[in-house]
Amino acid sequence: MSRGILIAGNESPLFSALCREAAKREETHAAALIPSGKSIEGKPIETPQDQDLANKQILLEWNSASPISARTLILSAINRMERIDEAVLVCVPPFFRKTAEELSPVEIDKFIDGNIKSWFFLVRELATLFSNNKQGMLSLVVSEVNAGSKDDVPDLFGPAAVSAFRSFAQRVLISSLTAPYNAMGFSYSEPGEENAFAAYVFKAMEVGKRNSGKWYKYGKLGLFGR
């Protein structure tokens, strides 16, 4: 029986790499992006996608600021794939290079809705689903790649979103130790290593219960479990 795989998160090379890995393993998988179309700076986001991947991918809508949309996303994925066995959440927040005094309340709200609140809503729905099914794999993946030079205006939002995601994910891993489903955490900080990192994530997921509750960091010297 085929696995139902859901991948959700920010549009990015890492998101695409994880989708390609899913396509190697199953005929179809579901994918949902934090809606943007543009980065928060107004620059188009370009994520290459080949036709073979598009043919194996079920794209689902997701209003990441809405708890109702999180539940609808889960139900839509189940309706299209019949099941969700594995969920991969991908945190790669967009860059936001402005000084603190240049920030607007609208920009702050939009960023928090899309890159912090969204994870709480979606993890809640997935944890409920997996608990009810008494099985499932939840993988929490975050990019810690630094971008820009020392002369750039600091990115005020991205590091905060990454820190919040990582802290939340680590608590989810702890709580999963007594749950009927499995959870794993992954981070990487090597630009250009998205494909190798994505392959490792799926291999670790396939080991299953033995890796549950662990956090893995991908670096120049390889992968280290924590």
Side-chain angles (χ1 to χ4, degrees), residues 13 46 56 64 103 112 137 188 197 200 219 225:
E46 299 180 0
K56 291 187 173 185
S64 55
L103 299 177
I112 291 173
M137 171 61 76
Y188 88 114
F197 178 58
Y200 178 80

Side-chain angles (χ1 to χ4, degrees), residues 142-165:
V142 61
S143 168
E144 296 179 336
V145 174
N146 294 320
S149 70
K150 64 181 180 180
D151 297 324
D152 290 333
V153 175
D155 176 13
L156 295 183
F157 282 175
V162 166
S163 179
F165 181 89

Side-chain angles (χ1 to χ4, degrees), residues 7-213:
I7 302 175
N10 304 96
E11 186 172 10
S12 62
L14 177 57
F15 186 94
S16 295
L18 288 163
C19 288
R20 285 192 294 271
E21 283 300 318
K24 292 177 183 178
R25 289 162 167 78
E26 298 295 335
E27 284 300 313
T28 58
H29 67 275
L33 290 167
I34 292 176
S36 60
K38 294 181 178 181
S39 74
I40 202 163
E41 292 179 306
K43 299 177 182 177
I45 298 174
E46 299 180 0
T47 303
Q49 190 175 78
D50 57 63
Q51 191 59 43
D52 289 340
L53 175 57
N55 291 337
K56 291 187 173 185
Q57 191 174 79
I58 301 169
L59 289 174
L60 300 175
E61 293 185 358
W62 177 27
N63 175 4
S64 55
S66 166
I68 295 175
S69 182
R71 181 171 299 178
T72 301
L73 172 60
I74 299 303
L75 294 175
S76 297
I78 293 173
N79 287 338
R80 298 292 298 274
M81 299 189 297
E82 298 186 357
R83 55 194 293 159
I84 299 176
D85 300 292
E86 300 171 3
V88 184
L89 308 190
V90 191
C91 176
V92 189
F95 299 117
F96 192 89
R97 299 194 185 282
K98 285 188 176 182
T99 59
E101 62 270 22
E102 293 174 329
L103 299 177
S104 73
V106 172
E107 289 168 332
I108 294 170
D109 278 343
K110 180 179 177 181
F111 191 87
I112 291 173
D113 283 347
N115 295 279
I116 296 180
K117 288 170 61 176
S118 56
W119 304 123
F120 286 80
F121 294 145
L122 192 52
V123 167
R124 177 185 181 275
E125 295 300 328
L126 288 165
T128 299
L129 173 69
F130 291 159
S131 291
N132 290 339
N133 292 344
K134 299 193 183 307
Q135 63 178 354
M137 171 61 76
L138 175 61
S139 292
L140 301 152
V141 183
V142 61
S143 168
E144 296 179 336
V145 174
N146 294 320
S149 70
K150 64 181 180 180
D151 297 324
D152 290 333
V153 175
D155 176 13
L156 295 183
F157 282 175
V162 166
S163 179
F165 181 89
R166 185 176 183 120
S167 180
F168 177 50
Q170 288 172 333
R171 298 308 183 271
V172 170
L173 296 187
I174 293 172
S175 66
S176 73
L177 295 176
T178 56
Y181 61 89
N182 301 317
M184 302 176 66
F186 301 89
S187 62
Y188 88 114
S189 57
E190 298 299 317
E193 292 291 322
E194 291 85 4
N195 291 332
F197 178 58
Y200 178 80
V201 169
F202 271 89
K203 288 178 182 176
M205 287 166 56
E206 288 165 355
V207 173
K209 190 172 182 179
R210 191 175 73 190
N211 289 334
S212 186

